[in-house]
């Protein structure tokens, strides 16, 4: 629970997703929640202390959604994703 309110982190993430995007009755993304609308992304992953909460575009095939859902359960490296988002170069190193 959030210490300031009695809302669970996963519920707060649901509220954020519903604020950002319009959704159909299956909670699949249909558009951007703006006056001019716009195309929703194929995948939105909200991350809270309760874990990742994925939302998929309504036009994605269920088979792909299930495959992506499995990948979402894997650990997400947020700093690495931020580097990718901002176009920064980084290298992956491994140790033996």
């Amino acid at each position: 629970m959030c210490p300031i309110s009695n809302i669970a982190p996963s519920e707060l993430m649901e509220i954020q997703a519903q604020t950002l995007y319009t959704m159909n009755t299956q909670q699949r993304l249909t558009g951007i929640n703006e006056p001019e609308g716009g195309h929703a992304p194929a995948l939105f992953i909200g991350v809270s202390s309760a874990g990742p909460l994925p939302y998929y575009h309504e036009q994605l095939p269920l088979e792909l959604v299930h495959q992506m859902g499995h990948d979402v359960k894997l650990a997400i490296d947020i700093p690495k994703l931020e580097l990718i988002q901002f176009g920064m170069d980084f290298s992956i190193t491994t140790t033996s």
Side-chain angles (χ1 to χ4, degrees), residues 3-82:
I4 297 173
S5 69
N6 291 326
I7 301 175
S10 59
E11 290 179 72
L12 288 172
M13 189 52 62
E14 288 176 22
I15 292 169
Q16 180 181 6
Q18 292 168 353
T19 302
L20 293 172
Y21 304 105
T22 56
M23 299 183 199
N24 63 19
T25 56
Q26 290 82 34
Q27 297 300 300
R28 303 274 302 265
L29 304 174
T30 58
I32 296 175
N33 193 14
E34 292 284 334
E36 299 295 319
H39 299 289
L43 172 64
F44 170 74
I45 304 173
V47 180
S48 73
S49 60
L53 186 59
Y55 290 89
Y56 304 95
H57 195 280
E58 68 176 345
Q59 294 180 348
L60 286 179
L62 280 178
E63 183 177 313
L64 182 57
V65 168
H66 292 301
Q67 181 181 354
M68 291 171 71
H70 177 273
D71 293 340
V72 166
K73 293 176 186 172
L74 301 175
I76 299 173
D77 187 346
I78 300 296
K80 186 182 210 180
L81 290 175
E82 288 175 348

